Amino acid sequence: MPEIRVNLPREPYSIVIEPGALSQLGARVRAVAPHERCLLVMDHNVVEPHGEVAQQSLQRAGYQVAATTLTADEKHKTLAAAESLYRVMLEARLERRSPVIALGGGIVGDIAGYAAATYLRGVPLIHAPTTLLAMVDASIGGKTGVNFPLPGSNDLGKNLVGAFWQPKLVLADPEVLLTLRRRDFVCGLAECIKHALIADASLLAWLRDNAKDILTLIMPTWQELILRCAAIKAAVVAEDERENGRRALLNLGHTFAHALESASTEFKHGEAVALGLVAAGRVATSLNLLTTDQAQLITDVIHRCELPSTFVANNWSAERAEHFISRSGELPSPERARSVERLRGALENRPAIDQLMRAMTFDKKVADGRMRLVLPRGIGAAEVVDDVPLDLVRDAWSRIGAQP
Ligand SMILES: NC(=O)c1ccc[n+]([C@@H]2O[C@H](COP(=O)([O-])OP(=O)(O)OC[C@H]3O[C@@H](n4cnc5c(N)ncnc54)[C@H](O)[C@@H]3O)[C@@H](O)[C@H]2O)c1
């Protein structure tokens, strides 16, 4: 089976990527975490299509399996969810050597990972990711955690409580992605583009050339995609486990994305990351770190992957949308009227630059009108730039269509 090693000095582990691998989960878990009992934590939406295969495989390998489910949304990614797992763990008499297996996307992996890191001061963790994002990013590198209310507010701050807890194994079966909604699948592609931008220019060209096969569910292409992207994440983590240096580059596009996610509920994380990558590209172009051709290539790949590059429908600039609306009287047709309505809605709902700047600067170091951002340096490399002028950040928001 194709495997990647995450070469951490103390706790190296393997990432197995193979169609059909879920049916071998039990034997694989036994090889790294043998015990009589285990806990299988499943994403509510994966129980029906994939839960039985996982559970039976664990039973065949000799485990008494306690199984439980979690709801995968950010509102439920809380300490209460982790607490519900502690109760199940105690009832199932899980001990220090009993493994916890997380079968789900990034949300379930983060919560189950945090519970595994803290129950009895830490029990073995296995990730069986079921989203593209979790296969290429969230399941690798040992970040676990939950959201927690911000002081004086009911808003949840993302991943404020957590722990580094490396899994013993990551087992990714690309076939489970066949049941994922298209929008959720496409969101994972944003992180793949980000990985290419920080570490591998040839991967970006490959994504451009293979986007069609990826979106028409060609399994060998999926496997290659996951292998290449997981290998990048594994290498970055092996070099800098605790994010003291290079690992911070994985935040490319994310300062923009997190601001957008807190200012608007319209966008999923991967969509916000795609917009963040375009915005970071714009800032990098202004600072001569990126050519306009390179910035255009990034936008092109984002389009081919069916991700947004502006706030406006059809990835149009606000000016182009306004122009289209202003001319709509000349060629009336029901179809055009519907397009106009859609564009008007998109233009009205887009967040304002001031609101986005406030969200961005909430907890970030901003001094003397300058901000710290991860930016691409050409394609395939990135760097942390400490003193980005705020007017360039405003310009980038404007470029992707934020309201003036
Ligand atoms: N720990 C890390 O290093 C890390 C890195 C990146 C992101 N994250 C976290 O990951 C989370 C996002 O994860 P995600 O993008 O995987 O989304 P997710 O976990 O929210 O899953 C997306 C949706 O797909 C459903 N789903 C999952 N697998 C499915 C399948 N095979 N078939 C059908 N439906 C399925 C889920 O129920 C959910 O509705 C965020 O909370 C983010 O903070 C963590």
Side-chain angles (χ1 to χ4, degrees), residues 91-135:
E91 273 162 27
R93 296 186 295 116
L94 252 61
E95 297 166 13
R96 283 290 273 282
R97 292 193 304 117
S98 319
V100 169
I101 299 110
L103 179 69
I107 293 191
V108 164
D110 278 7
I111 304 169
Y114 181 64
T118 44
Y119 177 75
L120 301 181
R121 299 196 182 85
V123 296
L125 169 68
I126 283 84
H127 280 301
T130 63
T131 62
L132 178 60
L133 183 139
M135 288 182 189

Side-chain angles (χ1 to χ4, degrees), residues 326-349:
S326 72
R327 281 173 46 90
S328 62
E330 296 166 25
L331 293 162
S333 75
E335 218 170 77
R336 198 172 174 99
R338 272 197 299 278
S339 300
V340 166
E341 203 178 317
R342 221 179 36 245
L343 284 173
R344 278 216 176 96
L347 284 171
E348 271 163 28
N349 285 334

